[in-house]
Amino acid sequence: MKRIITIVGARPQFIKAAMLSRAIADRNTRGGTLIKEEMIHTGQHYDENMSRIFFSEMGMLPPKWQLQRSGTSHGAITGQMLIDIERILLENQPDFVVVYGDTDSTLAGALAASKLHIPIVHIEAGLRSFNKTMPEEQNRILTDHLSDILCCPTQTAVRNLAAENIRHGVHHVGDIMYDAALFFGQVAERKSTILRTLNLGKKAFYLCTIHRAENTDDTQRISSLYDAVEQIASPEHPVVFPLHPRTRSRLEKLGLMGRGDSDRYIHFIEPLGFLDMIVLEKNATCILTDSGGVQKEAYFHRTPCVTLRAETEWVETVTAGWNQLADVSPERIAECLRRQPARHEIGEYGDGHAAEKILRLL
Ligand code: UDP
């Protein structure tokens, strides 16, 4: 038997981990070496809308260890996680530690495992924005340099690692988010009632998500983005805006929400579960986002995307013409909305079986 400890803490990690857990359960029913997976939830995202709903919607077992988030700074959060994760790893001595993506939970998990010489599997390895001021970029670089098995979603990611001299243990497995988009895309069609609840017509609304610190924490950037959202919202094309807690708190603090006439065409709603989110992504005229995951899901579901950043890790979506980098200028965002995407190729992101390929590597 192989024993894995999976470390998750943030919304996109629950989605990715759900797909690997499903593949493990499926594999265990087919015989061969059993894989026992246990999960640490670091508490980075902790409430109903950002955490619990994902476990229930995606049929995941509750995590074996639930850590308490402490403090608000990166140092306090990462430091406490490191202490707690190290204690659990020491007591349990797994064969592998699995970490996902680029959050503080990813880095804390990788650091703790690395010092204890436990092999690290990094899923979504090799992504780079080449913007080192982003906390996510720092977490990715450090985690990749500590990892033993690096599961890359794209060939670009493989090349990024080679450029940093990481060649050993690097595998192009495809994107586990694509697995999730295909699998939960079908479930969402059956279960979600969000279009009816919000009274939305198909391809007659925009979907907007903003949560990156570089956008929310900078007053000029968040104000400019808010201007853009107000300008595009109309009775024919309302904007659905699920608010990340950080974004809500900044918009409230700056007194932006509800200030203008067109704000009545903006649906400010709580963060959504994954199934409702997929249905909105599939049916939006266009998605405006600074999220990594949402950019790709737009592409998977063939919905044009305007990215509210100056750069992206998911360059293939831009090359394919389905994603445009607008940054935060309202004029540029409006111009991008007028342009139509060119073509559609999913090839780079695999075949929807990334989770099985990852298991084979273990
Ligand atoms: N997501 C969701 N509900 C929301 C917003 C996002 O389920 O209200 C999902 C989205 O579909 C994607 C993931 O969360 O799968 C992306 O997470 P996020 O934008 O927080 O992080 P990032 O991908 O930028 O790391």
Side-chain angles (χ1 to χ4, degrees), residues 11-12 15 45 50 54 102 177 209 211-212 242 244 270-274 277 281 290-294 297:
R11 174 167 67 186
I15 297 167
H45 287 165
M50 295 295 287
F54 293 92
D102 55 21
M177 289 294 275
T209 78
H211 78 287
R212 295 244 160 265
H244 188 280
E270 291 300 311
L272 292 162
F274 192 40
M277 188 65 187
E281 287 171 342
D290 63 5
S291 155
V294 176
E297 285 163 356

Side-chain angles (χ1 to χ4, degrees), residues 312-324:
T312 180
E313 301 75 33
W314 304 103
V315 288
E316 303 77 15
T317 60
V318 177
T319 315
W322 282 76
N323 188 7
Q324 301 178 74

